[in-house]
Amino acid sequence: MAEPVRIWLGVSHHAAFRVAGWAVVRADEAGVSGFAGGERRLDAERGALLALLAALKDLPAGRSVVLTTSDAIVAGFPARMAAAQAGGEAPADNLDLWAALSTALAAREVKIVQAAAAPGTPPGTPLAFAAAWAEFGRERAKDKGPFTASIPKPNLAKAGV
């Protein structure tokens, strides 16, 4: 059985400007890859949903994933989904993204691990690297609008993976 894909996800939301940015560092047998993105006019939950969906995009079905994030909203998604499926309060907003997330999580085993908050994350770790790129993504989305871009390989070499 193949080793799980390791993903580090940074999410940065600015409530006053209603803008979010995210960054993904992914490590598997093919090596290390990464990308950043962002979008305007959204709340924190929608930004976190978009970030998690971006992190799980293009992964083969059935492949297990260990996703590490410092974002409490992302870390809480599995519990919210389980509570809704058990008859608890279902999400009322962003139903399109909740449906997409449900499909993405059903296709593979995903373990979401919440690590230390971004400000306390030691520099030189993949999570700190992703958090810094998420802030960059947020600022770029604020200035230029929605985008997704690959993180250059020379920069990924500094991710600490």
Side-chain angles (χ1 to χ4, degrees), residues 13 43-50 73 77 80 91-94 97-98:
H13 180 262
D43 60 13
E45 179 183 88
R46 187 166 185 86
L49 283 163
L50 288 169
I73 297 173
F77 284 153
R80 281 191 67 193
D93 297 324
N94 304 309
L97 298 179
W98 280 105

Side-chain angles (χ1 to χ4, degrees), residues 59-88:
L59 289 173
R63 187 72 191 266
S64 65
V65 174
V66 175
L67 186 139
T68 304
T69 185
S70 60
D71 189 77
I73 297 173
V74 171
F77 284 153
R80 281 191 67 193
M81 290 178 71
Q85 290 169 348

Side-chain angles (χ1 to χ4, degrees), residues 13-159:
H13 180 262
H14 195 296
F17 292 108
R18 293 184 45 83
V19 63
W22 53 86
V24 175
V25 176
R26 187 183 291 171
D28 58 19
E29 63 278 346
V32 178
S33 61
F35 58 91
E39 193 165 316
R40 293 189 216 173
R41 297 179 193 92
L42 43 74
D43 60 13
E45 179 183 88
R46 187 166 185 86
L49 283 163
L50 288 169
L52 183 54
L53 286 168
L56 299 175
K57 184 180 176 186
D58 299 331
L59 289 173
R63 187 72 191 266
S64 65
V65 174
V66 175
L67 186 139
T68 304
T69 185
S70 60
D71 189 77
I73 297 173
V74 171
F77 284 153
R80 281 191 67 193
M81 290 178 71
Q85 290 169 348
E89 184 179 342
D93 297 324
N94 304 309
L95 296 179
D96 57 331
L97 298 179
W98 280 105
L101 180 59
S102 179
T103 301
L105 293 177
R108 65 194 52 83
E109 177 189 346
V110 179
K111 179 180 179 186
I112 298 178
V113 178
Q114 185 175 8
T121 305
T125 65
L127 193 55
F129 181 85
W133 273 86
E135 288 181 19
F136 169 76
R138 182 194 70 208
E139 292 304 309
R140 180 158 178 198
K142 184 173 82 173
D143 293 340
K144 303 204 185 290
F147 83 99
T148 300
S150 295
I151 298 174
K153 292 284 184 191
N155 292 64
L156 279 170
K158 300 173 187 173

